């Protein structure tokens, strides 16, 4: 967990990390806050699990798409409606051009 390593490095150098969403400070009154460390560890593990779940879902969806294309003897590609015409692209991104 690289994020935990960064938090520990900041704490060792006396830098307080403030997490606004959860109103947490890693250092209070000059000491490392153990409750914040525990909460950060739990949150980072939950984020890690969620990242793995998303990867599994993506792999599953990709596998199902490949199987469906093979069963229907289709080429695997984006639909023809995915690509916009040059005029539509110019109209949509006129401020960038």
């Amino acid at each position: 967990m690289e994020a935990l390593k960064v938090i520990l490095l900041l704490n060792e150098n006396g830098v307080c990390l403030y997490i606004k969403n959860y109103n947490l400070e890693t250092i209070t009154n000059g000491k490392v806050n153990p409750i914040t460390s525990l909460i950060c560890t739990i949150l980072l593990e939950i984020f890690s699990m969620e990242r793995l779940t998303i990867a599994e879902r993506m792999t599953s969806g990709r596998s199902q798409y490949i199987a469906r294309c093979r069963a229907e003897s289709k080429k695997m590609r984006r639909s023809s409606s995915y690509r916009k015409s040059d005029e539509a692209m110019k109209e949509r991104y006129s401020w960038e051009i």
Side-chain angles (χ1 to χ4, degrees):
M1 300 281 276
E2 292 300 315
L4 283 178
K5 290 179 185 176
V6 170
I7 292 171
L8 290 174
L9 179 67
L10 291 172
N11 288 344
E12 288 172 2
N13 291 302
V15 177
C16 176
L17 179 65
Y18 176 70
I19 304 167
K20 186 176 181 180
N21 295 4
Y22 300 103
N23 196 25
L24 298 172
E25 293 181 15
T26 57
I27 297 177
T28 53
N29 300 328
K31 295 181 181 179
V32 175
N33 187 343
I35 300 299
T36 300
S37 297
L38 175 66
I39 292 171
C40 286
T41 304
I42 292 170
L43 289 174
L44 289 168
E45 282 299 320
I46 291 170
F47 297 148
S48 176
M49 288 173 27
E50 184 63 25
R51 186 175 42 236
L52 290 174
T53 302
I54 290 170
E56 289 173 358
R57 288 180 187 157
M58 293 291 292
T59 302
S60 173
R62 192 175 303 113
S63 299
Q64 290 175 9
Y65 175 70
I66 290 170
R68 188 175 68 236
C69 287
R70 287 182 180 162
E72 298 173 3
S73 299
K74 288 184 176 180
K75 286 188 174 183
M76 292 183 287
R77 61 180 178 198
R78 293 186 171 130
S79 65
S80 59
S81 62
Y82 179 79
R83 179 89 169 118
K84 295 179 183 174
S85 67
D86 289 341
E87 292 80 26
M89 292 289 277
K90 287 178 183 177
E91 183 179 325
R92 179 168 171 93
Y93 300 106
S94 61
W95 59 276
E96 289 181 343
I97 295 173

